């Protein structure tokens, strides 16, 4: 049992040794890719937010049309949902500024 455990630990140490190697230094081309991918991530986040906000607004309008008595509660839930949806784009923008700048 001890020999088997020793061989397993030895194999783990051998395979894990590249983890401790020094990585390549950040170059200018790396920074260009960060800027390009940041633009794509902001576009994807904005598109997702736009679709979600459109769906939420359409559902709220349909709900208020079906039940006008609950319009105040539906409007509050809509505004809260829109704020949370918009925060996704703002968080993405903050992360992009933190990474790029």
């Amino acid at each position: 049992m001890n020999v088997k455990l020793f061989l397993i630990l030895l194999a783990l140490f051998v395979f894990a040794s590249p983890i401790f190697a020094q990585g390549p230094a950040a170059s200018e081309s790396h920074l260009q890719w960060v800027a390009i991918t940041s633009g794509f991530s902001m576009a994807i986040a904005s598109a997702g937010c736009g679709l979600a906000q459109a769906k939420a607004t359409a559902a709220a309008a349909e709900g208020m049309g079906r039940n006008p008595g609950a319009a105040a509660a539906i409007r509050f839930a809509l505004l809260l949902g829109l704020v949370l949806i918009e925060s996704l784009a703002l968080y993405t923008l903050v992360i992009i500024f933190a990474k790029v700048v």
Side-chain angles (χ1 to χ4, degrees), residues 59-70 74:
E62 183 180 343
M64 284 189 269
R66 289 178 184 242
N67 190 0
I74 294 172

Side-chain angles (χ1 to χ4, degrees), residues 8-101:
I8 290 173
L9 287 175
L10 181 66
L12 285 175
F13 285 129
V14 168
F15 291 132
S17 62
I19 293 174
F20 302 110
Q22 182 178 0
S27 63
E28 283 296 319
S29 65
H30 173 70
L31 294 177
Q32 290 173 345
W33 284 110
V34 168
I36 290 171
T37 56
S38 298
F40 281 124
S41 65
M42 190 64 212
I44 292 170
S46 297
C49 287
L51 291 173
Q53 286 177 348
K55 187 168 177 76
T57 305
E62 183 180 343
M64 284 189 269
R66 289 178 184 242
N67 190 0
I74 294 172
R75 188 177 301 115
F76 174 74
L78 171 67
L79 289 176
L80 181 64
L82 289 176
V83 166
L84 293 174
I85 291 168
E86 188 64 31
S87 68
L88 169 69
L90 295 176
Y91 290 147
T92 305
L93 187 65
V94 167
I95 290 170
I96 287 171
F97 275 127
K99 185 68 178 171
V100 174
V101 176

